[in-house]
Amino acid sequence: MSIIELNKINVDFPQKKSQVVRAVKDLTLHIDKGDIYGVVGFSGAGKSTMVRTINLLQHPSSGDITVNGVDFVKDGKQVISNKDLQLARRKIGMIFQHFNLLNETTVLENVAFALKHAKLSDEELEKRSLELLDLVDLKDKADFYPSELSGGQQQRVAIARALANKPDILISDEATSALDPQNTQQILELLKKLNRELGLTVVLITHEMEAVKKIATKVAVMEDGQIIENGSLRQIFLHPKEELTKRFVGGSLEAMTTLEKLNLGQLQANEAVYQLVYNVANVTKSIIIELFQKVGVETSMLYGNVELLNDEPIGTLVVLIKGDADKQKQAQAFLHEQEVTVTRLDEKGKVYD
């Protein structure tokens, strides 16, 4: 059951001389209840603009929006009253790259601020705020000020505040971008915990595929205001179709860096470079040895990595295969039979034209 439905969304920004920039283009996205839905793309892809339409912080120019079974927008026009929208927004928590905490108030008061509209006594307000801080493992920091916390701890406070109204949806808009790797990992684990224990639907907006790999159940890849590919995390990683997706998955960005440093130079006519991505069933196999035994091609490993894709091991290899055109075809056919995703690269690691 979809908890968020965006249908044929366009977002236009008027410019000078009657020109218009279309930041989101004919975008359709359905997110099911309980998903951790990663939306990934480079800066300027339209991710943040798109996600802000969910709670109408950004109004679409056209299209339909339904959240929690309630119509927000029809044919580009707001159909929910402002009063009802204000109530609906309380069920959509949001955290950002910049924590937006009140620096002159304590951690406890920052969380309590999100409950200012609630009809709670002072004692009830403090109890609820402490419960939220306990949920993000910061109860012992209640009387601290934001400046006394690390970046990861400040983001935890922001998450506690976003959970104050018991939302059904939590939107994370580049919320880990300003954090170091250790704090990023801790925040991602917290989001996963909240999804599991509270049944929270998480929309994870990021340009960092590593974040998506760690916790997402589904993923959409955005480019130039459009979703160019989406599906389950496993499907996207093992069977990517679009060039940008292939660049994002399977460690190919690291592979590109490695190949550039190797400086292979111009490949010979009988040489080809491939990125191989394979699942847990093949991770323990020696693909290169089997390739030589079955096809008889000489294969050199240029890059290798095994990582967890939402707790499932996924392997990536970049290999140089030597052989004539017929042998290259045989090698590719063998790899496909082994359910290995094969992408041909040029000598610099870019997808081969």
Side-chain angles (χ1 to χ4, degrees):
M1 177 181 174
S2 296
I3 192 171
I4 299 170
E5 297 183 12
L6 305 180
N7 292 307
K8 296 183 177 180
I9 299 297
N10 289 293
V11 178
D12 296 335
F13 292 115
Q15 305 293 306
K16 294 180 180 179
K17 298 182 180 179
S18 301
Q19 294 180 332
V20 172
V21 170
R22 178 155 286 182
V24 175
K25 304 172 184 177
D26 198 31
L27 182 146
T28 294
L29 180 65
H30 290 186
I31 297 175
D32 292 338
K33 184 175 178 60
D35 277 345
I36 301 180
Y37 209 116
V39 181
V40 67
F42 291 122
S43 297
K47 308 182 299 298
S48 292
T49 301
M50 176 276 292
V51 80
R52 288 167 65 87
T53 66
I54 293 174
N55 53 11
L56 293 192
L57 292 178
Q58 174 65 57
H59 283 253
S61 305
S62 60
D64 303 336
I65 299 173
T66 302
V67 180
N68 254 336
V70 178
D71 291 333
F72 282 14
V73 172
K74 282 290 184 183
D75 298 322
K77 305 295 183 183
Q78 182 177 324
V79 294
I80 187 173
S81 70
N82 288 333
K83 181 180 178 180
D84 287 342
L85 176 60
Q86 186 177 11
L87 293 173
R89 281 176 173 165
R90 292 176 187 171
K91 294 300 180 181
I92 307 173
M94 200 161 186
I95 54 175
F96 304 91
Q97 176 179 352
H98 303 293
F99 320 122
N100 299 327
L101 300 179
L102 303 171
N103 292 322
E104 303 304 318
T105 61
T106 66
V107 164
L108 182 68
E109 290 166 340
N110 265 276
V111 176
F113 183 77
L115 292 164
K116 61 180 181 179
H117 64 276
K119 296 178 180 179
L120 299 174
S121 66
D122 290 345
E123 183 178 328
E124 291 170 330
L125 186 62
E126 181 176 349
K127 180 182 177 183
R128 173 64 179 153
S129 299
L130 286 171
E131 288 173 349
L132 289 164
L133 287 174
D134 192 33
L135 188 62
V136 299
D137 297 323
L138 279 182
K139 189 175 181 180
D140 60 330
K141 304 292 185 184
D143 295 326
F144 282 55
Y145 287 86
S147 61
E148 298 176 287
L149 304 182
S150 69
Q153 289 172 331
Q154 290 185 56
Q155 191 60 279
R156 286 174 178 270
V157 178
I159 291 172
R161 186 180 56 189
L163 297 175
N165 294 295
K166 300 181 180 179
D168 302 308
I169 299 164
L170 180 63
I171 296 172
S172 169
D173 189 5
E174 299 282 7
T176 61
S177 295
L179 302 178
D180 61 44
Q182 181 177 353
N183 279 310
T184 293
Q185 177 66 26
Q186 291 173 354
I187 293 299
L188 292 174
E189 288 297 329
L190 175 59
L191 293 178
K192 194 171 183 177
K193 169 189 169 184
L194 297 173
N195 166 262
R196 182 177 62 249
E197 295 183 1
L198 303 182
L200 200 61
T201 301
V202 179
V203 185
L204 182 69
I205 304 297
T206 182
H207 64 274
E208 299 169 330
M209 187 53 88
E210 291 302 315
V212 173
K213 289 178 186 178
K214 285 181 169 63
I215 68 167
T217 54
K218 295 177 183 174
V219 59
V221 181
M222 282 192 70
E223 182 178 34
D224 193 28
Q226 299 174 298
I227 291 178
I228 61 170
E229 193 164 357
N230 67 326
S232 71
L233 183 66
R234 198 174 188 277
Q235 172 192 337
I236 292 297
F237 270 79
L238 292 179
H239 305 288
K241 297 176 182 177
E242 300 296 325
E243 178 177 342
L244 180 63
T245 311
K246 291 175 181 178
R247 290 178 63 193
F248 266 123
V249 306
S252 60
L253 294 179
E254 292 89 343
M256 286 171 62
T257 301
T258 301
L259 288 179
E260 286 176 358
K261 290 182 177 179
L262 284 173
N263 193 21
L264 295 176
Q266 186 68 38
L267 295 174
Q268 301 299 313
N270 69 335
E271 295 178 331
V273 176
Y274 300 96
Q275 174 182 278
L276 314 179
V277 182
Y278 47 99
N279 65 10
V280 63
N282 289 312
V283 153
T284 57
K285 293 182 179 180
S286 179
I287 298 292
I288 291 179
I289 293 175
E290 290 192 19
L291 194 57
F292 176 75
Q293 292 173 338
K294 301 290 185 182
V295 184
V297 290
E298 182 182 337
T299 307
S300 301
M301 188 174 75
L302 306 176
Y303 170 89
N305 187 36
V306 176
E307 59 189 335
L308 293 178
L309 188 66
N310 204 351
D311 297 329
E312 178 185 4
I314 298 292
T316 300
L317 289 177
V318 175
V319 297
L320 174 68
I321 295 178
K322 292 184 179 181
D324 59 25
D326 185 54
K327 285 292 187 181
Q328 296 286 349
K329 288 181 181 178
Q330 289 180 43
Q332 291 183 51
F334 169 76
L335 290 165
H336 286 307
E337 287 173 4
Q338 304 302 310
E339 298 185 345
V340 176
T341 300
V342 182
T343 304
R344 187 169 177 180
L345 307 176
D346 65 18
E347 62 274 8
K348 295 199 179 290
K350 296 180 180 179
V351 177
Y352 187 83
D353 292 329

